[in-house]
Amino acid sequence: MERIGVVGLPNAGKSALFNALTGGSVAVAAHPFSTTETTTGIAQVADDRLEALAAMSKSRKTVHATVEFADVAGLTAGSASGEGLGNRFLAGIREADALCLVLRAFEDPNVVGGTDPREDLAVLELELVLADAEVVDANLSRRRRAAKGDKSLAGEVAALEQVHGVLQAGTPAYRAGLDAATRAALKPFSLLTDKPVLAVVNLGEDQVDDAATHMKPVVEELGDAAEVLGVSVQLEAEAARLDPGERAELMEALGLGQGALPRVARAAYHLLGRRTFLTTGDKESRAWTFRAGARAPECAGVIHSDLQRGFIRAEAIGWEELLALGSWNAAKAAGRLRVEGKDYEVVDGDVLEIRFNV
Ligand SMILES: Nc1nc2c(ncn2[C@@H]2O[C@H](COP(=O)(O)OP(=O)(O)O)[C@@H](O)[C@H]2O)c(=O)[nH]1
Ligand SMILES: [Mg+2]
């Protein structure tokens, strides 16, 4: 299963975030290296559309989409040179399909570490850039030699040369605006800085009121390259332990709405290229996960392989329209169900019923 690696400097709040998202119990402690192993866990992806459909259908069961996180042990300056635990940290990052960078802004004299999130980003990215530069250098000289005898390697060499220049300038590959062909050619090298990134600025309780100011340096630095979310991890982790009524009251009082944790799970889900279609009925309402761009039969196969094998057609309607009409039968009676065939590219938020025959 694909997963998103939670990465950051020691004491940035990675384990606290991971636990809050996944209900996990990784040690959260005020000393560096309290986590030295990678731990994985599953987070539910909260979805108002699903809740609304479940209420409409009076479903007995509601099944959310999920996304898998890995709490990767802390990265420090010097990790790229492979000293101490460095190698293990980098291996944990290499295994992830996308990265959630936890950047510390919160101030706490009892917790060692810097409080400038842009500085965290710079240190982290430098380590990842150095590790990638080493991989690219080694492969570049090997491939250049091989390309002399095998002209088909020219594209790969060109891609490596391009990213070599980018890394030498200290730029992570994901921020270099490389074209799709270059990124495809670099795929086999699983570069650490070519993974999609989501940045979480870990805010102190006293910074929440002025979140935008504390996030601004990171937002400016990353531009369009990555989404940036501000989360008071500790506050939200504490809130997550309350019962739902008390939690809503606390979040309301703090002006945090539903809180930022659900947004982190959703952003991670999207970052991995995942999209949701829905099914609804009195038995259950459910969010199903498909890859962006998938066609109807492939999506049917997510429910069951028989539905893909024997796919005839899909009846489809956007969740909002279905909700407005009030029920599947009402939508059918109103002639609002679309009939879609094998080539239909399913859209995020479609509600589907699959017709099949095996
Ligand atoms: N004051 C404050 N402390 C935090 C916050 N987030 C994490 N911490 C504390 O920072 C320490 C390190 O957190 P941890 O999640 O273990 O960091 P990790 O090393 O990145 O996994 C723990 O003592 C946490 O309680 C926060 O938002 N505010
Ligand atoms: Mg930790």
Side-chain angles (χ1 to χ4, degrees), residues 306-351:
D306 281 353
L307 272 62
Q308 181 165 10
R309 209 153 43 86
F311 181 89
I312 300 170
R313 63 176 188 274
E315 288 171 354
I317 182 168
W319 71 276
E320 236 168 343
E321 190 179 7
L322 177 58
L323 211 58
L325 290 163
S327 75
W328 191 264
N329 285 338
K332 181 171 248 168
R336 299 305 303 167
L337 296 181
R338 286 178 273 126
V339 175
E340 304 286 6
K342 283 186 177 4
D343 288 333
Y344 176 63
E345 269 189 31
V346 176
V347 176
D348 189 78
D350 270 351
V351 187

Side-chain angles (χ1 to χ4, degrees), residues 64-197:
H64 287 84
T66 58
V67 58
E68 193 179 18
F69 284 89
D71 181 19
V72 180
L75 189 82
T76 51
S79 287
S81 56
E83 280 155 29
L85 294 164
N87 273 327
R88 205 185 308 162
F89 298 155
L90 294 176
I93 296 170
R94 208 170 294 282
E95 284 164 14
D97 301 282
L99 304 180
C100 172
L101 303 183
V102 182
L103 311 171
R104 172 172 167 181
F106 75 85
E107 296 182 19
D108 185 335
N110 298 314
V111 181
V112 178
T115 59
D116 174 354
R118 181 158 48 182
E119 179 64 21
D120 271 19
L121 179 66
V123 174
L124 283 172
E125 289 196 333
L126 177 62
E127 289 308 315
L128 301 182
V129 162
L130 290 171
D132 278 353
E134 208 172 295
V135 170
V136 169
D137 280 354
N139 280 288
L140 194 51
S141 38
R142 237 180 288 142
R143 298 290 154 140
R144 269 186 187 138
R145 251 176 282 131
K148 286 187 185 137
D150 181 352
K151 294 282 174 262
S152 73
L153 293 177
E156 202 172 280
V157 170
L160 284 167
E161 278 169 350
Q162 193 182 344
V163 79
H164 177 80
V166 164
L167 296 167
Q168 286 305 314
T171 307
Y174 82 97
R175 290 223 246 152
L178 300 175
D179 61 42
T182 305
R183 295 189 78 161
L186 293 173
K187 198 130 202 160
F189 305 104
S190 12
L191 298 180
L192 304 177
T193 65
D194 198 29
K195 298 174 193 289
V197 164

Side-chain angles (χ1 to χ4, degrees), residues 10-11 13-16 26-29 31 33-36 71-74:
N11 285 340
K14 299 178 296 297
S15 296
V26 173
V28 172
H31 55 83
F33 309 119
S34 54
T35 332
T36 56
D71 181 19
V72 180

Side-chain angles (χ1 to χ4, degrees), residues 201 212 214-224 226-229:
V201 175
H214 293 280
M215 290 160 63
K216 193 166 171 231
V218 177
V219 171
E220 282 178 357
E221 175 68 32
L222 288 174
D224 293 334
E227 188 175 351
V228 183
L229 296 173

